[in-house]
């Protein structure tokens, strides 16, 4: 049914649903597009940050006198200069992060001092001239050791309530002080049903421990901030980031400035993938140094700094216990997560919340319990990465489901199909699955893969399946997205949206939505995006709400403008409003092929009588807090086909089939780009990538040592169309940016098992691990 | 009555009516404000224009081959490259101006070729290498000679209808072809009453000829255009200009581009005074060369080019005949104007229309006839200058009134007071004087000057009076001004207005109006102005409508936003809407000193429920076409006190008193700045300035030779408060930018007569003219 309406839908649309080239294609292809990295301002200073060489140490003394005397150096800062400022994704808890360390350093890479100088060489030399005296403290690198009595305390005592509150949420809620006990920085727990009862009722119980290490985002563009104070005290900032409004609110709060004096301006962003959400020290420091020196200050992190200090993916150890009936009906699932947060809380609590909320929409399991603990260690902090918290738990759940199917002797696909949720289901968090193409995803992906016939070991090749869900916008912030459409006298429309183009195609998709709703072509839309001064507040752009939340705000704004236009036309031509429609930049009587008037004709009348014609749209980022997380879930099934080299231990990813229910695809080209990107990113996460720590030290902080997939590694890739038409999304769209990476993790794990019979539960599947597993398989045999 | 309500008004306002420092004060004082002249872009080319050395010549051949071969030269254009394009202030007639001359040149300075090169030196060298073969044609420099049969024809034959229509007016009207006869490029005629009958009924008739030469604007910043095409084919332009929408529409039309692909961006403008309204060749050529080369192109005119080719003030010869009764009652006035347009029509027809429409609101004369003819000559073209067309006729009318008073033996002040119009009058053009402080202006100015006692010759000192009117926006364009106010979550408001800050204080005044209406402070307004992409269309900014038209659109937008905010508050606090008001960024029950809620509290509710809060405002630029010109007239009386040096012939302007009815003064500081500026500009026009032509050639095209007043020349200056509260203006404001210059002309002329008894009827009053007049006075005596 959904598929049918979708096809019908595609036929009737002239702009959305079509694989149109990106609106930023030409400027990007010709190099005219300015990325944050490309920007420079007259009199600009270069900022650099001195980082701790120690994992845990008391700062005994900092002597900046020599650095300050160096010609060309205009400012040297230490923790005492920025002492009043703390930040971090508080999530209801007090922030634990200072822009520059105060009293002690918590990990190797922690910010200790900052300089601004007339060029990079002077700034670097100044860093060398800063003399810091440390007293080394005992370290803890293991999240389980850290919880034991007597372990070194990363953040000892109580984290006080903040002096300033980052109130983008509009909750007006000030976090209470938080007492750190045994390095536990946050906990999370949810139970639905009765987990003990569930296991009692189970015929079969499987228990496993899965381990997922930190990986990096490896965005093409490193993290850059350019701050400029004008002489009237207004701060302009260009950031490589993901959300205008959050950065702006954080900056205003930490800088102690009125919100309307802080402006985030548009620059193209060379990839983000979750790694640029946080307010990072370097961004605050650029602003702070600019105010101090009265000059623009640019801080661009080196690739090494990006690895060290910008929060990679969450390091989780997951103990998963699942109970099932003989026929494969899932009865109970208990997941215990230890999240190794590193030196600061980061988004570790949010990751636990998302691990829970994005795992429950997939299978209907009556008794579920999720417990998470987030633990401080003296390691690099963690943050969101594409499918925040999901890839980890999906790896565990979907790997284990294959083991259960094998244990029960039932088909793994049938087991999943027996338990999957469907449209209309209310899930334990309170959310309703308004659209759900999950079953179809599994059926279509496996059919496309030739599952039945290929599902037999030969030539060390194997096939595996994974299934995952994601959200389309999350109600973390009660303020959603607003958009404005202003009609111009020539019939074109100017769209104002806060959405940030990070490479995902946001600018294009927003223009398509506005154009379709208005009855315009893509060329008729003038886009003004990602500028906090020019665009209305938008909080849907990240947290997976780009299309579903922001896109719907854009559609509503366009619809509002269209309504006003039709009303004007209805008056001018004495036609019934209900009988009119817009097409091709003109007003038509419905069904008629001859237009009544062009947009510009009607606008000329409007302009003479009432001036500018403005439409506005607003979409909340999700349901009311407490009644769930999101208004739309996205589902993906991934089938991976691999070949394992028994000699070298290397795993080759041959083919990936993604069946993706992201709702209606506004632009099949950008959707495919999103899916392709996730598969390649996932391939790296599973097979090669790990931010390797040796005694707490990152030993591969460069793209020479940290291996990511290149074009030659890319598998054959097939995207299977499983679009639903979501009742709440713009034209039925949900999202396409996050759901395809997580299911690839178990798909590859299950394929490796299928190929050579080894079950790997810790990522990545590097040759040494494969060889070791094949070896112990030989021993066991 | 008006004065009383004005005082009461000032008391109740917290932002308007106060002499607040300019919002751009700091950036301008520190040099951070970027003027068009300051801008540069990477890869930018420098454009230069080759101009005709001849007054009238046929172009036999242009050889650009050597210029094209010069290293660094990227483009060389001649008329054949831009042949399809014509422009000019058509005013219902077909445009007569080509960006580069085709077939022949019409004046010394006419554009012949253009080059773009990597630096200015290469561009200048390239101009030298262009070889143009001319065939000299007979010339005509005198507008009366030009009308005679057999005179050389500047534009021979018929000017065809344009291929493209500049339709900013939204009239959709295409000018018909225009046949030029005897160099007449336009005519204008109006009669009210019966002029012959009027003179028959007169007891006394005075006839005089007045001659006014061309003067320049001498804006601090010369004319600059920077054009940039991005690779997607969008044109960005930075201009030193006066109105975003007009320039944009002209550029789109001449470049053959959709309006939404042309963007005019904000740059600060270093003075305009009417001299930057036109689309000039250099602006079109910058855009054209940028498209051709694919690089940014900057064309900055030299000061010499500004004098030669950017249209100074109108050259008028005015034959004025006025009839009066014995008691001084004015009965009939017949004005014949020969307007020497120069090589192109320019704004010569508009000047005639304005000369008529701005002279009739002052005195109630039953029989009036105005006849104007605009004539082509081989001289520099003319354009608007501060008080377009008014200074010339006011000089004539007010000089003659003093002569009539003397002839009748009645007091010149009493004569004027007997005939002046008053509030509520309907004038012959159809306009109603909704507010009129004219009588008060005369009374107060003369009282302040100590008219009675000082009005006697001694020490070659004398005193004179002049009176003038101006309009507050003119309905040339049926599309008026739109403005948008967007409320932000912190309670601040962002104002979007197309108004251009040319130095007059527009940015400040617009922010004050929005702040006052909202109940905010000036610091709470974020201004986005003068950008065609970001701001709604605005056509009120020039034509004297900055405050009255645009300002009212801004006020209405703010009022609309406030209304929505109060409605939200009324719902949230269950209070009657009528009982609420805004003050200090908060909502109050009327009269209460404790606020119900801050703006941000209410906005937080709005944002959760409906997103962005947007207000919009619209103001027409005047009454319906055909029913008059404007909705508000401004009046000024100027009293000048001079000292004439009988030895040297120099006239020293000792003191000027301006009594100005510009309606409520939004910002007394900027108002005073406007008045001061006009007095000094007028002083130059009257005493020193003239774009001197010798055989058609401008002989003083530099600020070394063209003398303008300096600080040491400035008279003592007194502004007398005669504010009315106009019922239609924002807070009762009208305008303050144009009305004080014109009456100074006759005030000085009358003062010179009063001082030494010589009556000068041709401007400027240079020492040689004074000496000559004194001499002939001696002869006559």
């Amino acid at each position: 049914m959904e598929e049918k309406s979708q096809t019908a839908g595609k036929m009737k649309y002239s702009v959305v649903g079509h694989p149109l080239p990106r609106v930023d294609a030409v400027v990007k292809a010709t190099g005219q597009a300015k990325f944050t990295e490309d920007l420079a301002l007259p009199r600009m200073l270069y900022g650099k940050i001195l980082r701790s060489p120690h994992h845990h140490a008391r700062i005994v003394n900092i002597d900046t006198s020599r650095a300050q005397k160096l010609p060309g150096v205009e400012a040297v800062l230490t923790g005492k200069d920025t002492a009043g400022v703390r930040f971090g994704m508080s999530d209801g808890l007090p922030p634990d992060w200072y822009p520059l360390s105060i009293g002690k350093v918590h990990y190797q890479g922690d910010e200790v001092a900052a300089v601004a100088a007339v060029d990079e060489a002077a700034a670097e030399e100044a860093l060398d001239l800063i003399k810091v005296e440390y007293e080394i403290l005992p370290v803890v690198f293991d999240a389980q050791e850290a919880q034991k009595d007597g372990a070194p305390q990363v953040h000892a005592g109580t984290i006080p309530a903040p002096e300033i509150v980052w109130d983008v949420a509009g909750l007006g809620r000030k976090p209470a002080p938080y007492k750190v006990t045994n390095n536990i920085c946050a906990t999370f727990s949810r139970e639905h049903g009765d987990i003990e009862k569930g296991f009692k009722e189970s015929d079969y119980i499987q228990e496993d421990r899965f381990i997922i290490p930190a990986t990096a985002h490896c965005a093409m563009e490193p993290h850059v901030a350019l701050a400029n104070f004008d002489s009237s005290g207004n701060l302009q900032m260009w950031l490589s980031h993901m959300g205008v409004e959050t950065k702006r609110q954080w900056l205003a709060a930490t800088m102690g400035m009125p919100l309307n004096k802080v402006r985030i301006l548009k620059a193209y962003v060379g990839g983000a993938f979750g790694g640029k959400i946080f307010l990072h020290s370097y961004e605050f420091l650029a602003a702070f140094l600019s105010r101090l020196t009265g000059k623009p200050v640019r801080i661009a992190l080196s690739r090494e700094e990006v690895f060290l200090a910008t929060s990679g993916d969450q390091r989780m150890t997951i103990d998963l216990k699942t109970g099932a009936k003989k026929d494969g009906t899932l009865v109970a699932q208990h997941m215990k997560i230890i999240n190794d947060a590193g030196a600061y809380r980061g988004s570790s609590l949010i990751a636990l919340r998302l691990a829970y909320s994005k795992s429950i929409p997939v299978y209907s399991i009556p008794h579920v319990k999720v417990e998470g603990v987030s633990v401080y260690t003296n390691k690099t902090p963690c943050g969101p990465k594409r499918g925040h918290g999901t890839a980890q738990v999906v790896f565990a759940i979907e790997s284990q489901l294959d083991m259960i199917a094998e244990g029960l002797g039932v088909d793994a696909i049938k087991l999943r199909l027996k338990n999957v949720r469907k449209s209309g289901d209310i899930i334990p968090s309170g959310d309703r699955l308004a659209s759900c193409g999950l079953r179809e995803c599994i059926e279509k992906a496996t059919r496309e893969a030739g599952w039945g016939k290929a599902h037999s070991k030969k030539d060390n090749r194997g096939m595996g399946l994974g299934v995952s869900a994601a959200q389309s916008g999350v109600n973390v912030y009660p303020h959603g997205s607003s958009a404005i459409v202003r009609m111009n006298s020539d019939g074109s429309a100017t769209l104002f949206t806060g959405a940030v183009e990070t490479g995902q195609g946001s600018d294009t998709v927003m223009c398509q939505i506005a154009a379709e709703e208005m009855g315009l072509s893509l060329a008729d839309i003038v886009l003004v995006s990602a500028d906090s001064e020019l665009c209305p507040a938008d909080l849907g752009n990240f947290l997976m709400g780009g299309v579903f939340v922001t896109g719907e705000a854009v559609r509503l704004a366009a619809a509002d403008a269209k309504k006003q236009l039709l009303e004007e036309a209805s008056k001018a031509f004495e036609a019934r409003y209900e009988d009119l429609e817009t097409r091709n930049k003109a007003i038509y009587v419905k069904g008629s092929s001859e237009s009544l008037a062009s947009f510009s004709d009607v606008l000329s009348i409007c302009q003479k009588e009432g001036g500018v014609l403005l439409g506005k749209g607003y979409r909340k980022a999700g349901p009311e807090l407490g009644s769930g997380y999101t208004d739309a879930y996205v589902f993906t099934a991934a089938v991976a086909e691999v070949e394992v080299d028994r000699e070298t231990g290397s795993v080759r990813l041959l083919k990936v089939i993604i069946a993706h229910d992201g709702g209606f695809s506004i632009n099949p080209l950008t959707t495919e780009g999103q899916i392709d990107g996730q598969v390649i990113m996932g391939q790296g996460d599973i097979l090669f990538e790990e931010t390797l720590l040796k005694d707490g030290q990152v030993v591969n902080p460069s793209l020479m040592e940290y291996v990511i997939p290149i074009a030659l590694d890319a598998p054959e890739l097939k995207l299977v169309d499983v679009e639903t038409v979501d009742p709440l999304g713009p034209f039925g769209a949900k999202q396409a940016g996050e759901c395809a990476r997580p299911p690839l993790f178990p798909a590859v794990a299950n394929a490796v098992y299928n190929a050579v019979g080894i079950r790997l539960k810790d990522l990545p599947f590097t040759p040494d691990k494969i060889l070791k597993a094949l070896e112990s398989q030989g021993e066991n045999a």
Side-chain angles (χ1 to χ4, degrees), chain A:
Chain A
M1 280 302 287
E2 277 159 345
E3 208 178 349
K4 194 178 159 196
S5 61
Q6 175 65 15
T7 310
K10 272 196 180 157
M11 306 260 304
K12 77 174 180 213
Y13 297 131
S14 58
V15 187
V16 299
H18 295 269
L20 301 181
R22 303 170 65 110
V23 296
D24 50 359
V26 179
V27 288
K28 282 186 171 168
T30 55
Q32 282 198 348
K34 294 285 169 218
F35 288 80
T36 315
E37 175 75 33
D38 300 324
L39 301 171
L41 290 173
R43 302 164 65 246
M44 186 176 82
L45 301 178
Y46 293 80
K48 293 272 174 194
I49 296 166
L50 182 70
R51 297 181 182 277
S52 165
H54 304 295
H55 304 297
H56 198 191
R58 197 166 70 79
I59 298 171
V60 179
N61 187 45
I62 308 182
D63 179 1
T64 61
S65 57
R66 286 186 65 206
Q68 270 163 331
K69 283 178 203 148
L70 185 71
V73 171
E74 305 226 353
V76 182
L77 297 179
T78 65
K80 69 177 178 348
D81 300 305
T82 57
V85 178
R86 257 188 299 157
F87 50 83
M89 277 204 170
S90 62
D91 202 29
L93 297 170
D96 56 5
W97 208 327
Y98 292 95
L100 293 172
S101 298
I102 292 178
K104 68 175 193 168
V105 292
H106 302 88
Y107 78 103
Q108 195 188 57
D110 221 350
E111 291 85 357
V112 175
V115 300
V118 292
D119 57 31
E120 286 195 275
E124 270 162 16
E125 198 180 337
L127 293 189
D128 290 342
L129 295 175
I130 297 171
K131 200 175 150 195
V132 189
E133 205 179 316
Y134 292 103
E135 178 193 324
I136 308 293
L137 297 172
V139 295
V140 60
F141 297 131
D142 183 275
Q144 287 161 87
E145 291 300 319
Q147 294 176 65
K148 290 179 183 165
D149 288 341
Q153 296 298 296
V154 181
H155 291 267
T158 295
I159 298 173
E163 298 75 35
I164 46 171
V165 185
W166 173 69
D167 194 26
V168 68
L171 299 170
R173 196 176 63 188
K174 187 167 172 162
Y178 177 79
K179 189 170 183 309
V180 186
T181 312
N182 292 344
N183 286 310
I184 292 172
C185 71
T187 57
F188 177 84
S189 178
R190 286 287 185 285
E191 184 169 354
H192 303 290
D194 179 337
I195 194 70
E196 291 311 319
K197 184 162 166 275
F199 284 119
K200 272 179 203 145
E201 289 170 3
S202 299
D203 297 326
Y204 183 93
I205 292 173
Q206 173 85 22
E207 282 187 78
D208 299 281
R209 166 167 285 195
F210 298 89
I211 296 167
I212 300 96
T215 58
H217 305 84
C218 297
M220 278 213 286
E221 185 185 36
H223 293 51
V224 186
L226 171 57
N228 181 46
F229 267 88
D230 68 22
S231 47
S232 302
N234 298 305
L235 170 61
Q236 289 111 35
M237 289 212 81
W238 293 262
L239 301 168
S240 46
H241 70 120
M242 301 171 64
V244 169
E245 197 60 20
T246 47
K247 290 276 182 180
R248 182 172 172 238
Q249 300 232 12
W250 265 322
L251 278 165
T254 54
M255 292 290 290
M257 292 174 69
L259 195 59
N260 71 0
K261 296 286 176 192
V262 179
R263 178 177 183 184
I264 313 292
L265 290 101
K266 174 160 184 156
Y268 285 108
V269 177
F273 313 117
K276 295 172 177 175
I277 288 184
F278 273 150
L279 180 73
H280 288 99
S281 278
Y282 74 93
E283 295 169 314
F284 167 81
L285 290 171
F288 195 87
L289 284 166
S290 177
R291 182 163 61 187
L292 195 66
T293 59
K295 294 181 182 170
V297 174
R298 174 187 193 265
I299 301 185
L301 298 191
S302 67
R303 184 63 69 178
E304 184 176 351
E305 284 179 296
V306 173
F307 273 102
L308 279 180
T310 63
S311 312
D313 204 358
Q314 307 286 331
R315 291 176 284 252
M316 290 188 181
T317 299
I318 300 170
D319 287 316
L320 184 67
K321 182 179 174 184
T322 305
K325 291 279 187 193
K326 274 180 195 150
D327 66 351
T329 305
L330 298 173
V331 184
Q333 190 164 62
H334 187 184
M335 179 152 55
K336 289 185 193 171
I337 306 172
I338 299 169
N339 198 8
D340 178 354
Y344 297 102
R345 190 188 309 114
S347 67
S348 62
L349 174 54
I350 297 171
L352 294 173
R353 202 188 300 282
L354 291 171
Y356 154 76
S357 65
K358 289 197 277 189
S359 64
I360 54 170
V362 179
Y363 300 111
S364 174
I365 308 176
H367 308 286
V368 170
K369 187 171 185 178
V370 176
E371 289 172 292
V373 62
S374 176
V375 183
Y376 286 128
T377 59
N378 294 116
K379 292 192 298 199
T380 56
C382 298
K385 181 174 169 182
R386 211 172 194 176
H388 193 193
T390 322
Q392 293 90 336
V393 296
V394 164
F395 171 55
I397 292 169
E398 294 288 314
S399 293
Q400 197 176 61
L401 282 186
D402 261 31
M403 294 187 252
I404 293 168
E406 191 180 24
L408 287 172
V410 302
D411 180 76
I413 309 298
K414 284 185 185 147
L415 181 143
R416 286 178 173 85
L417 290 175
K418 182 183 276 288
N419 292 286
V420 289
R421 296 189 186 275
K422 61 187 189 307
S423 287
D425 280 7
I426 309 279
I427 64 173
S429 59
D431 285 327
R432 182 175 169 276
L433 305 185
S435 67
C436 174
L438 184 49
R439 169 175 297 274
E440 216 183 324
C441 283
I442 296 171
E443 287 171 348
K444 282 199 168 176
T446 51
R447 194 187 314 146
E448 175 69 31
W451 186 272
K453 63 177 192 296
H455 195 61
S456 63
K457 296 172 201 178
K458 58 164 187 184
D459 306 331
N460 298 316
R461 290 190 177 194
M463 198 179 274
L465 172 73
V467 175
S468 183
Q471 292 146 339
S472 307
V474 179
N475 61 356
V476 175
Y477 310 120
H479 296 169
S481 290
S482 293
I484 299 172
V485 167
R486 193 194 70 215
M487 295 301 300
N488 304 318
S489 59
D490 63 349
S492 68
T494 303
L495 168 63
F496 294 81
T497 166
V500 179
E501 172 65 64
T502 58
Q504 84 282 46
S506 171
D507 280 356
T508 306
V509 167
M510 296 306 150
C511 287
Q512 283 183 279
I513 290 172
E516 182 68 50
E517 185 65 37
M518 296 291 311
L520 290 171
S521 72
L522 199 52
D524 296 322
I525 305 294
V526 178
L527 177 72
V528 180
S529 67
D531 185 311
S532 68
E533 189 159 302
L534 309 176
C535 307
D538 183 292
L539 284 157
N541 182 56
F542 58 93
L543 288 170
M544 306 152 282
V547 166
F548 188 80
V549 181
T550 301
E552 177 65 1
V554 166
R555 194 192 64 77
L556 290 169
D560 186 22
K562 181 173 72 176
K563 181 167 172 280
Q564 295 172 46
L565 198 66
L566 287 175
E567 281 167 354
E568 288 292 337
S570 147
K571 272 189 284 175
F573 298 98
E574 291 173 5
R576 277 161 42 102
Y577 174 85
E578 302 75 40
D579 295 339
L580 299 179
E581 65 181 3
T582 60
R583 267 181 278 143
N584 311 319
K585 219 172 175 172
I587 314 276
Y588 290 80
V589 171
K590 276 178 188 163
S592 161
S593 63
E594 253 178 77
S595 70
L596 266 184
S598 71
F599 276 18
S600 60
D601 291 343
V602 181
L603 284 159
S604 186
I605 299 168
C606 298
Q607 214 178 344
K608 277 176 212 163
E609 290 179 358
V612 66
L613 198 155
L614 274 182
K616 57 184 194 172
Y618 172 75
R619 179 69 169 91
K620 284 191 182 191
E624 285 302 315
L625 277 174
S627 62
Y629 290 85
T630 187
D631 286 324
Y633 282 91
V634 171
F635 301 93
T636 309
V639 174
E641 205 179 330
V642 303
E643 185 180 59
V644 180
D645 187 326
R646 284 181 177 273
E647 295 298 314
T648 64
S650 82
V651 177
R652 206 171 133 220
L653 186 58
L654 301 171
K655 187 172 179 179
V656 173
I657 291 141
I658 299 288
H660 176 68
D661 164 23
F664 177 77
S665 172
I666 301 291
N667 188 327
L669 263 187
T670 55
T671 298
E672 204 176 320
Q674 283 291 302
I675 301 296
D676 291 359
Q678 288 177 75
V679 167
I680 304 302
M681 182 177 264
Q683 179 183 18
D685 293 322
I686 301 155
L687 300 180
F688 320 129
E689 297 184 37
E690 177 175 2
T691 307
L692 280 171
L693 292 147
K694 189 169 174 177
D695 298 334
Q697 178 166 358
V698 178
V699 295
N700 59 346
S702 92
L703 291 174
M704 288 296 290
E705 296 134 341
Y706 182 101
V707 179
I708 60 172
I710 60 171
L712 293 175
D713 298 313
E716 187 187 336
L717 220 158
K718 174 83 186 167
L719 174 60
V720 183
D721 206 18
V722 188
E723 290 182 356
T724 56
V725 175
D726 190 88
L728 299 173
F731 304 102
K734 296 191 282 191
Q735 62 110 328
E738 289 205 4
C739 201
R741 175 176 167 259
L744 196 66
F745 286 43
V748 173
N750 292 337
V752 168
Y753 182 81
N754 180 239
V756 293
I758 58 171
R759 172 60 62 186
L760 295 179
K761 300 176 192 171
D762 59 325
L763 285 167
F765 301 162
T766 49
D768 58 321
K769 284 188 196 160
I770 297 282
L771 287 176
K772 203 171 158 196
L774 288 170
E775 220 168 274
S776 62
Q777 181 189 36
E779 283 164 14
N780 295 344

